[in-house]
Amino acid sequence: MRLAPAGYVEEKHNGRWVGQHRLVMERHIGRPLLAMESVHHRNGDRADNRIENLELWASTHPPGQRVEDKVEHALYILGLYRPEALA
């Protein structure tokens, strides 16, 4: 492990340095993070990588504001994060 200049704890993973907070979140959700996803530290301490201090954030949104686009995007988000809600 090492402390990066920005204050993030990093771990060697598959031959490269990766933010420990990202690895903790991936283990928690059981899959790799998507490109649109990031991990936020609730208390602002970038070295505090306890899962209770981490939040999964997504920065994707549909193009435009048509209702059908929003509904399609809502179904996509539900399928990704709460698939049981679609049952």
Side-chain angles (χ1 to χ4, degrees):
M1 276 192 282
R2 71 178 185 184
L3 187 61
Y8 293 102
V9 176
E10 295 181 326
E11 288 184 24
K12 199 84 160 196
H13 183 72
N14 295 332
R16 63 186 190 95
W17 290 102
V18 178
Q20 185 183 57
H21 59 294
R22 296 182 62 82
L23 295 173
V24 168
M25 185 58 71
E26 286 180 345
R27 289 180 197 123
H28 180 70
I29 64 176
R31 63 168 174 79
L33 293 176
L34 303 175
M36 66 176 183
E37 294 174 326
S38 61
V39 179
H40 173 71
H41 290 85
R42 291 178 185 209
N43 67 5
D45 180 355
R46 295 175 175 174
D48 182 355
N49 293 316
R50 297 171 297 122
I51 193 62
E52 56 269 16
N53 186 46
L54 302 177
E55 293 178 328
L56 181 62
W57 285 21
S59 60
T60 183
H61 56 84
Q65 296 296 308
R66 295 182 315 158
V67 170
E68 60 243 37
D69 290 341
K70 289 181 163 243
V71 169
E72 185 175 330
H73 186 66
L75 292 170
Y76 168 76
I77 292 294
L78 285 170
L80 188 61
Y81 298 109
R82 294 275 196 259
E84 69 277 5
L86 296 175

